[in-house]
Amino acid sequence: TGGLSDYKGRFTSADVTGGAGAFSSMFAGGYSQAGGIRNYDDMMQRNASTKMRYDFGDTARVTTLAGYTDSNESEGPYPDDTWYKQKYYERHVKVLGEYLPSERAVFSLGGSLIGQNARSFYSYDDRSEFHDMNGTVTAESVFTFREADTLLCGIELARDTIESLSLPEACAMDAHSAYTSYTAIAGPVAVTGGLRYDHHSEFEDQ
C-alpha cells in the first residue's frame, strides 16, 4: 500500500471455558482497532461476554448471559478541517430458567435487559445523543406429541424507554404479546401453523 491507500488494523480475541459439577461457564472478549487515511477514519471496538449455567439435576436449569460492547469511530480531519466522532456502547443481561418435568414438556421463564447509548460529535459544534433501554419478560411452554410434533405457547411483556436530544422528553413504549404454534412432522415434511396477538402502546392491537 502507499499514498492515500494506507490502512492498518489490529485484532485480538480470547475465550475461556470451565466448570465444576453442575456449574459451567464461558467468557469471551475481543479488541479491534483499524484505520487508514483514504477516508481519514479510525475505529476502535471492545467487547466482552459471559455465559453461566447451573443444572438442578435433570429437571431444571438456569442460564445467565451478560455482555458489553463499546466502540469509538472518528472521521477526519478532512482537507476542509471538518471532522466527525461517534461513541457507542451496548450492554445486556439475560436470565433463563427452564423446568423439564418429562421428555415431552419444557416450561421456561426468561427476562432480559438491553441498554444502548450513542453520542455523535461534529466539527461545527453540534452533537446528538441517544439512550435506549429495553426490558423483556417471556414465558413459554413446549409440548411434544407423537414422535416429534410440537406445540408452543408463550407470552411476552416488553417495555422500551428512549431518550434523545431530538425528543422533548423521554418516551416509553409497552408491548404485550401472546402466541401459539403447532408443528406437525410427517417423514421429511414439516408443517407449522400459528397464531399471534400483539398489543403495542403506540400501534395498538395487531
Side-chain angles (χ1 to χ4, degrees):
T1 60
L4 294 180
S5 297
D6 284 352
Y7 183 85
K8 60 182 179 180
R10 180 172 59 185
F11 308 92
T12 305
S13 64
D15 61 87
V16 179
T17 60
F23 175 78
S24 61
S25 64
M26 179 276 296
F27 173 82
Y31 172 86
S32 63
Q33 185 173 15
I37 62 174
R38 165 178 268 181
N39 296 319
Y40 304 92
D41 61 347
D42 186 44
M43 182 185 71
M44 182 276 292
Q45 185 179 78
R46 296 173 295 187
N47 62 79
S49 62
T50 183
K51 177 180 179 180
M52 294 178 288
R53 172 172 156 173
Y54 190 87
D55 294 330
F56 298 87
D58 296 327
T59 59
R61 57 178 175 250
V62 175
T63 305
T64 302
L65 301 95
Y68 176 86
T69 298
D70 73 59
S71 65
N72 293 300
E73 180 181 353
S74 63
E75 297 180 8
Y78 291 101
D80 60 358
D81 291 329
T82 59
W83 53 265
Y84 164 79
K85 295 182 179 180
Q86 183 184 64
K87 297 181 178 181
Y88 169 85
Y89 69 87
E90 185 257 14
R91 67 276 191 207
H92 65 266
V93 176
K94 298 180 181 180
V95 179
L96 175 66
E98 296 173 285
Y99 175 57
L100 302 84
S102 70
E103 295 181 353
R104 293 183 173 272
V106 179
F107 301 93
S108 63
L109 178 64
S112 67
L113 190 63
I114 304 174
Q116 302 179 73
N117 289 63
R119 296 179 180 179
S120 301
F121 305 87
Y122 303 87
S123 54
Y124 43 86
D125 296 328
D126 192 12
R127 69 186 180 97
S128 64
E129 193 166 340
F130 176 83
H131 305 276
D132 183 17
M133 184 66 71
N134 180 276
T136 304
V137 176
T138 304
E140 287 186 345
S141 57
V142 180
F143 303 96
T144 303
F145 301 97
R146 303 197 322 180
E147 294 184 2
D149 292 5
T150 56
L151 172 65
L152 166 68
C153 302
I155 59 173
E156 182 178 274
L157 309 176
R159 163 163 282 206
D160 196 11
T161 304
I162 300 174
E163 297 181 36
S164 174
L165 292 178
S166 61
L167 298 174
E169 60 182 7
C171 64
M173 296 175 287
D174 296 314
H176 306 146
S177 306
Y179 50 90
T180 183
S181 66
Y182 188 90
T183 300
I185 298 178
V189 179
V191 178
T192 300
L195 295 173
R196 183 182 177 97
Y197 168 80
D198 291 283
H199 175 80
H200 197 283
S201 59
E202 293 292 322
F203 308 110
E204 299 183 350
D205 295 343
Q206 296 185 10

